[in-house]
Amino acid sequence: MSNQQLALDLWARLGSEGKAPNELMNAAKVLPFYSVALEPWLTRMQKTYLQNLAQRGAHFKLVIAPYGGGKTHFLMAVGARALTQGFATSYIGCSAGVNLAHSFDVYQAFIKNLHLPGNDKPGVLALLRYCLHNKQEQIQALHAPDPEAAFDVWLQEIAQEEYPEPAFGRVLAAALRHQWQPEYAPAGDAALRWLRGEIDTLTRGEREALRLARIPQRAQSELGKNLLFSLITFLKEIGLMGVVILFDEVETLFNVRGQALQRILAAMRVVLDQASGFTENAPLFGLFAAVPDVVEHLARYPALEQRLAVRGAPFEEGNDFAPQIHLDKIEAPLPLLTELGKKLLALGKVARSHQFDAALQEQNIKNLAKVATDFSLEIDARRLFVKSCVNILDLQVHQGERAFALEELQDRYRGYWDELKRREQEQEGSEP
């Protein structure tokens, strides 16, 4: 896809929804177009965690911002950075069908969205092909006299390796062999489905071929926990630096309370509890994105409060070890939105192949940023600002450029707010 096509796709999305794509590889490609002010914080996390602590143990942070406050954008930026640092990365949205209070659901979502460095596609199949390609290159580099025998020895070692889930190595080896030599691995497709978490699809014969017992519902949570940390261990063994998991509630603008908040709390509690037995050797960096309300509820879960409550200097004051990251502290709202607007202006130039009057539009952007910061709502101004700015710029591509009075910008801003509110309510109403 050309640079202009990429920019236009992003332009359309921002103008419609005002928010970042939450598909990791797509986000990694477009982040440079409109990301502002994040670099210093990303660099700090890279140096402290990605290049050091998270390669040897499990560490967690709570990313806090109001609805529309850039949480997904921040997670995508961290995920993109992690991939460049050699980490496997998975983005998990707390959406319908993913019960984050259930470890097996967490594992299924994790493996489905698992991205590896240099790979555009996520998932188990991409992981298997990545492993096979890397091992073949290693065998060739060592000039093994019998490459097939060397490969077979490697698979036997995986099958015999001890993992938190005892069957993991054996099933993984069967799946790898199926990708390498399908004719010699009749249960390979079943192994692939098992690794995806589709355990109920295996027939009795397939389970017998893989020496697997049927897992009752009550035991699936334990299986999910053990599978997750078995995979994390394996990814480190094949040369990756570790694993980054990005938990995002994907909150709507106005669904502030109730089950959404409880799912966030449950997700954090479950994963932290899972990690507690494996932190010594689990190279894991986990980020949870949440609304500010979550902080006052930490006391309900002592395990969360012990790990995620701030004691001492906060992250924004230079304490890299602070467990909470407050996105509203990155920069003051007015200069931040003004800088963001200039980024969007540059994006619009590419997306629309239009030469904007920079001086005129920068003044419009300053005025719109003032409107956004003065607009009092129970949401962050950033998402509405992005949507408003893109639409106002795009309007001028077709109708000619002009200066916008503050009163008109206020009216348009409120109109875009009403539109987003209506759309979110319609989405909530359509959910089962």
Side-chain angles (χ1 to χ4, degrees):
M1 185 181 294
S2 71
N3 203 45
Q4 192 274 335
Q5 291 172 323
L6 203 62
L8 182 58
D9 286 351
L10 176 61
W11 186 252
R13 182 184 179 96
L14 295 178
S16 173
E17 303 177 27
K19 62 182 181 180
N22 59 10
E23 196 288 309
L24 187 57
M25 295 311 297
N26 184 29
K29 294 175 183 176
V30 301
L31 279 171
F33 281 118
Y34 69 114
S35 190
V36 297
L38 299 182
E39 185 60 32
W41 286 17
L42 293 174
T43 299
R44 285 170 55 192
M45 285 195 291
Q46 174 182 325
K47 290 181 178 178
T48 301
Y49 292 98
L50 300 181
Q51 294 179 350
N52 202 324
L53 296 174
Q55 295 184 20
R56 300 185 299 277
H59 299 270
F60 298 91
K61 289 195 182 296
L62 175 59
V63 179
I64 299 173
Y67 286 96
K71 296 185 295 296
T72 300
H73 182 111
F74 186 78
L75 292 184
M76 292 295 103
V78 172
R81 182 67 60 93
L83 288 169
T84 68
Q85 297 298 303
F87 278 74
T89 304
S90 184
Y91 170 87
I92 301 177
C94 302
S95 56
V98 178
N99 181 2
L100 289 174
H102 194 300
S103 300
F104 196 72
D105 288 350
V106 173
Y107 170 77
Q108 287 178 310
F110 169 79
I111 191 64
K112 179 180 179 181
N113 297 296
L114 182 67
H115 280 277
L116 303 174
N119 268 25
D120 283 343
K121 294 182 178 180
V124 173
L125 196 55
L127 168 64
L128 298 177
R129 291 171 177 169
Y130 178 93
C131 293
L132 292 175
H133 176 73
N134 283 6
K135 180 53 63 173
Q136 287 168 343
E137 286 190 338
Q138 290 176 11
I139 291 174
Q140 290 175 2
L142 292 172
H143 303 289
D146 189 342
E148 289 194 6
F151 212 92
D152 193 62
V153 168
W154 176 61
L155 292 183
Q156 291 179 34
E157 291 175 348
I158 292 175
Q160 296 169 4
E161 187 67 48
E162 293 184 0
Y163 292 100
E165 168 50 46
F168 176 79
R170 183 172 68 251
V171 177
L172 177 61
L176 286 165
R177 187 179 294 279
H178 181 67
Q179 292 299 310
W180 175 41
Q181 297 172 312
E183 65 276 16
Y184 296 116
D189 181 67
L192 183 66
R193 283 182 276 121
W194 188 85
L195 290 170
R196 285 180 177 142
E198 301 168 3
I199 58 175
D200 292 334
T201 68
L202 272 66
T203 66
R204 180 176 179 178
E206 288 173 331
R207 291 197 303 272
E208 290 177 350
L210 293 169
R211 288 183 288 148
L212 295 170
R214 187 176 185 86
I215 306 297
Q217 189 72 30
R218 65 181 181 276
Q220 288 187 8
S221 184
E222 183 71 13
L223 175 63
K225 177 185 70 174
N226 290 337
L227 281 174
L228 178 63
F229 285 95
S230 294
L231 186 52
I232 291 173
T233 300
F234 175 73
L235 290 169
K236 182 72 172 182
E237 290 172 353
I238 63 172
L240 295 175
M241 295 296 102
V243 172
V244 170
I245 307 181
L246 309 167
F247 288 94
D248 192 357
E249 178 56 16
V250 194
E251 304 104 337
T252 58
L253 275 174
F254 301 95
N255 186 17
V256 184
R257 301 175 181 85
Q259 292 183 351
L261 185 57
Q262 291 304 314
R263 285 199 301 271
I264 295 173
L265 292 167
M268 292 188 293
R269 184 189 63 195
V270 166
V271 175
L272 286 169
D273 288 348
Q274 286 177 357
S276 63
F278 301 97
T279 51
E280 184 177 351
N281 296 309
L284 171 62
F285 189 39
L287 273 68
F288 300 94
V291 294
D293 306 53
V294 77
V295 177
E296 64 188 62
H297 292 279
L298 289 179
R300 296 183 185 181
Y301 301 97
L304 287 181
E305 188 175 35
Q306 291 173 11
R307 295 171 174 87
L308 298 176
V310 175
R311 309 183 195 283
F315 187 87
E316 61 268 20
E317 292 182 8
N319 179 12
D320 292 345
F321 306 120
Q324 295 180 20
I325 298 176
H326 292 258
L327 296 184
D328 60 344
K329 305 296 184 181
I330 289 181
E331 192 173 337
L334 185 59
L336 176 65
L337 294 182
T338 302
E339 185 181 356
L340 177 57
K342 292 179 181 179
K343 273 272 193 175
L344 294 173
L345 179 61
L347 172 64
K349 178 181 178 181
V350 178
R352 284 304 195 183
S353 301
H354 181 83
Q355 189 64 46
F356 287 97
D357 182 329
L360 175 64
Q361 297 308 329
E362 287 182 11
Q363 187 58 51
N364 283 334
I365 287 167
K366 288 180 181 178
N367 289 336
L368 182 62
K370 185 178 187 308
V371 168
T373 54
D374 291 342
F375 204 70
S376 179
L377 291 171
E378 291 184 359
I379 55 170
D380 188 87
R382 194 173 311 174
R383 181 180 175 189
L384 283 172
F385 175 82
V386 168
K387 178 178 173 63
S388 302
C389 187
V390 168
N391 278 278
I392 288 169
L393 288 171
D394 202 66
L395 180 70
Q396 294 175 82
V397 172
H398 304 290
Q399 297 184 1
E401 297 184 61
R402 62 183 177 87
F404 284 76
L406 277 173
E407 293 77 10
E408 182 179 359
L409 290 174
Q410 289 169 348
D411 290 342
R412 289 184 177 275
Y413 194 82
R414 180 173 290 278
Y416 295 130
W417 178 80
D418 290 338
E419 181 185 348
L420 279 175
K421 181 178 181 180
R422 175 186 54 78
R423 180 177 299 181
E424 298 291 354
Q425 289 174 337
E426 289 176 352
Q427 289 177 352
E428 289 177 15
S430 66
E431 292 178 357

